[in-house]
Amino acid sequence: MSITRDSNRVIIFDTTLRDGEQAPGCSMNLDEKLRIATVLEEMGVDVIEAGFPIASNGDFEAVREVARTVKNATIAALARTARADIDRAAEALQLAQRKRIHTFISTSPVHMNYMLKMTEEEVLQRTIDYVGYARNLTDDVEWSAQDGSRSDRDFLCRTVEAAIKAGATTINIPDTVGYALPEEYAAMFKDVMTRVPNSDKAIFSVHCHNDLGLAVANSLAGIGAGVRQVECTINGLGERAGNASLEEIVMALRTRHDLIGCTTGIKTEHITRISRLVSTITGFQVQPNKAIVGANAFAHESGIHQDGMLKHAETYEIMTPESVGLNRSSLVMGKHSGRAAFRAKLKELGYDDLGENAVNDAFGRFKDLADRKKDIYDEDIIAIMDDEVGRQHDRVRFHALHVVAGSRGPQHAVLELEIDGKSIPPVVAFGNGPVDAVFNALKLAFPHEAKLQLYQVHAVTQGTDAQAEVTVRLEEEGKTVNGQGADADTLVASARAYVHALNKLITKRLKTAPVAMSA
């Protein structure tokens, strides 16, 4: 089979569920992964890398359920060049309508010498053996040269040629440690594709990390060199400084089609929705000045900019907010709004696939908020929904909180939780301030040894009655998790965020990390 390299169609390979989950503090349970996968499929992602099945039973189940649920996108499972990894990946992918085994091995001298402790010939033979083994299990096999951008060029060409000959249909040469510059990364691909005689029989792929802030630039440079698959994540999520951001790559290709000349199958109107969903599930806030999806991405404060925008939007906006699914904030609902109006608003905001229980719980919180807050904005409803969605199967659930605070003290909290579906008696705890009291109460109600690493509060909308959105990061035995919570009461939002983090921690306790897992 010969692959046309000059096609202008770029395959979008999303690895939020796999590489994105490796970000310190990030953990997703099965329901959360399924929800993200469903939206990725709706927005037109070509390949969804659902996990690393050998890593844990949880990863295996996640890949299997995503494979069962998703119908249109190809589902990829990561595996080292080892029989047990590849067998486990194939087993997890059995129910997928379109499946890919993604196997990898390091090719750089530093990785081979110090991590693998293997020679070039051993790495080459392992590539041949296990790409061939994977190809016997599926027609779609991707091979990655981990740390490819720091690999010897002659050896890289030999292994790429061998991988294609053994049956690899996609060749990924990642910039694993974010070391490359755009010009040299593009030159590497041009050189490999020119020198490898069977390069026309595979699609080449980029996978770039952001350690020098160049992940998107390097990915676009690779496309300019003839690469036709980009591996990326929502919000640039990933270990260390993260991965190339899907939304930035897709919108660069769309906005500068005149220069790049490539297209994708992404429905860009879903970008804001998926960005918010991933942020809420992972507990990673999107920085305000983040391109495409940051809160300031379409904000204009400079007088000159505002004047230009009033005269013609294109003076300072190179894309419309609507093109990425962002609707301008407007007053939408009030205390007299009914369930039908609430459902209609949820559908407008992209929450049209929720079960009855989730809608009822969210409607109750909306009515409570409407009693306390005069003006309700889209952002308020989004905060409620993002806080509520995916919590239905949590082991620990927030029920009620009463706090005594102020300068005269003593500050204390009375907390009520549900654990494994059962209400526990109220717990009273004192602290050095109300937040400390709330968190001490949580430790009494659900004993644990996790340490608080981060506590962050920001307002969802403007005004003194704005909802607070709180982020909490917990660490336990080297495992870190983020939790988020929203409420008009900052202390209630804090308790919700901490409970969310506890549930993440329960999930992450079951995960392990096989050696050399990063691609």
Side-chain angles (χ1 to χ4, degrees), residues 230-358:
V230 176
E231 304 186 10
C232 45
T233 62
I234 302 299
N235 298 338
L237 192 67
E239 57 187 331
R240 303 187 316 277
N243 287 269
S245 165
L246 180 149
E247 59 274 9
E248 293 178 24
I249 291 168
V250 167
M251 293 310 293
L253 292 176
R254 173 172 165 165
T255 305
R256 296 311 313 270
H257 184 265
D258 60 321
L259 187 64
I260 304 172
C262 289
T263 61
T264 72
I266 298 297
K267 302 178 184 72
T268 61
E269 295 78 11
H270 291 266
I271 283 176
T272 297
R273 176 189 175 196
I274 188 68
S275 171
R276 287 170 173 165
L277 178 64
V278 169
S279 175
T280 299
I281 285 175
T282 61
F284 278 77
Q285 290 283 349
V286 175
Q287 67 194 61
N289 62 329
K290 166 79 165 64
I292 314 300
V293 292
N296 294 347
F298 295 95
H300 305 275
E301 186 161 330
S302 159
I304 295 174
H305 287 218
Q306 290 175 346
D307 179 63
M309 287 292 298
L310 289 171
K311 292 174 178 174
H312 196 283
E314 287 187 15
T315 54
Y316 286 103
E317 283 188 351
I318 60 173
M319 66 195 86
T320 66
E322 292 76 16
S323 69
V324 296
L326 180 65
N327 296 314
R328 298 294 189 185
S329 179
S330 60
L331 291 174
V332 289
M333 306 279 282
K335 63 189 297 182
H336 301 297
S337 299
R339 194 179 303 270
F342 185 69
R343 272 193 172 278
K345 173 52 67 174
L346 293 184
K347 186 173 183 180
E348 177 188 324
L349 294 175
Y351 300 97
D352 52 358
D353 57 348
L354 301 177
E356 194 64 28
N357 289 340

Side-chain angles (χ1 to χ4, degrees), residues 219-234:
S219 298
L220 294 174
I223 291 171
V227 169
R228 287 300 176 262
Q229 177 178 284
V230 176
E231 304 186 10
C232 45
T233 62
I234 302 299

Side-chain angles (χ1 to χ4, degrees), residues 392-411:
Q392 303 301 310
H393 303 291
D394 284 351
R395 280 192 58 198
V396 185
R397 301 195 72 186
F398 173 85
H399 183 64
L401 177 69
H402 175 70
V403 179
V404 175
S407 60
R408 293 184 178 178
Q411 294 88 0

Side-chain angles (χ1 to χ4, degrees), residues 469-481:
E469 197 163 54
V470 175
T471 300
V472 164
R473 177 174 295 170
L474 299 179
E475 183 272 331
E476 180 187 73
E477 296 181 354
K479 298 179 187 292
T480 58
V481 292

Side-chain angles (χ1 to χ4, degrees), residues 121 229 303 313 440:
E121 293 308 315
Q229 177 178 284
N440 287 338

Side-chain angles (χ1 to χ4, degrees), residues 69-387:
T69 303
V70 172
K71 305 302 179 188
N72 298 320
T74 296
I75 306 303
L78 189 68
R80 292 165 300 185
T81 48
R83 182 181 291 265
D85 282 46
I86 292 170
D87 284 342
R88 191 70 166 155
E91 184 182 358
L93 292 169
Q94 276 184 346
L95 299 175
Q97 294 196 13
R98 297 177 178 85
K99 54 191 173 188
R100 173 182 297 183
I101 293 175
H102 178 194
T103 187
F104 70 95
I105 192 168
S106 294
T107 55
S108 70
V110 65
H111 276 214
M112 290 189 293
N113 292 337
Y114 297 104
M115 191 169 68
L116 298 182
K117 299 190 185 304
M118 295 171 65
T119 66
E120 287 187 351
E121 293 308 315
E122 288 172 325
V123 167
L124 181 63
Q125 191 58 52
R126 202 169 183 89
T127 297
I128 294 168
D129 291 344
Y130 289 105
V131 168
Y133 183 69
R135 186 57 190 265
N136 287 331
L137 300 174
T138 178
D139 290 337
D140 191 346
V141 175
E142 176 171 340
W143 175 78
S144 287
Q146 184 175 209
D147 206 19
S149 60
R150 294 195 297 172
S151 298
D152 175 79
R153 192 67 53 81
D154 291 339
F155 178 61
L156 184 61
C157 288
R158 287 177 64 205
T159 50
V160 167
E161 181 180 358
I164 296 172
K165 187 175 181 181
T169 51
T170 300
I171 297 294
N172 176 38
I173 309 178
D175 184 29
T176 303
V177 294
Y179 181 72
L181 298 179
E183 296 82 359
E184 67 175 336
Y185 197 51
M188 178 195 70
F189 276 105
K190 289 178 181 177
D191 190 30
V192 171
M193 287 189 280
T194 300
R195 291 172 56 185
V196 172
N198 55 359
S199 63
D200 62 320
K201 293 181 169 59
I203 291 173
F204 280 76
S205 177
V206 292
H207 179 125
C208 299
H209 281 263
N210 205 39
D211 298 73
L212 293 176
L214 295 170
V216 170
N218 283 336
S219 298
L220 294 174
I223 291 171
V227 169
R228 287 300 176 262
Q229 177 178 284
V230 176
E231 304 186 10
C232 45
T233 62
I234 302 299
N235 298 338
L237 192 67
E239 57 187 331
R240 303 187 316 277
N243 287 269
S245 165
L246 180 149
E247 59 274 9
E248 293 178 24
I249 291 168
V250 167
M251 293 310 293
L253 292 176
R254 173 172 165 165
T255 305
R256 296 311 313 270
H257 184 265
D258 60 321
L259 187 64
I260 304 172
C262 289
T263 61
T264 72
I266 298 297
K267 302 178 184 72
T268 61
E269 295 78 11
H270 291 266
I271 283 176
T272 297
R273 176 189 175 196
I274 188 68
S275 171
R276 287 170 173 165
L277 178 64
V278 169
S279 175
T280 299
I281 285 175
T282 61
F284 278 77
Q285 290 283 349
V286 175
Q287 67 194 61
N289 62 329
K290 166 79 165 64
I292 314 300
V293 292
N296 294 347
F298 295 95
H300 305 275
E301 186 161 330
S302 159
I304 295 174
H305 287 218
Q306 290 175 346
D307 179 63
M309 287 292 298
L310 289 171
K311 292 174 178 174
H312 196 283
E314 287 187 15
T315 54
Y316 286 103
E317 283 188 351
I318 60 173
M319 66 195 86
T320 66
E322 292 76 16
S323 69
V324 296
L326 180 65
N327 296 314
R328 298 294 189 185
S329 179
S330 60
L331 291 174
V332 289
M333 306 279 282
K335 63 189 297 182
H336 301 297
S337 299
R339 194 179 303 270
F342 185 69
R343 272 193 172 278
K345 173 52 67 174
L346 293 184
K347 186 173 183 180
E348 177 188 324
L349 294 175
Y351 300 97
D352 52 358
D353 57 348
L354 301 177
E356 194 64 28
N357 289 340
V359 172
N360 288 339
D361 289 347
F363 183 68
R365 287 184 62 182
F366 159 72
K367 294 295 277 187
D368 289 342
L369 180 64
D371 285 335
R372 301 156 69 188
K373 188 176 189 290
K374 179 181 177 181
D375 297 332
I376 304 241
Y377 295 84
D378 284 358
E379 288 89 345
D380 289 310
I381 296 177
I382 289 167
I384 290 173
M385 294 310 301
D386 286 348
D387 190 47

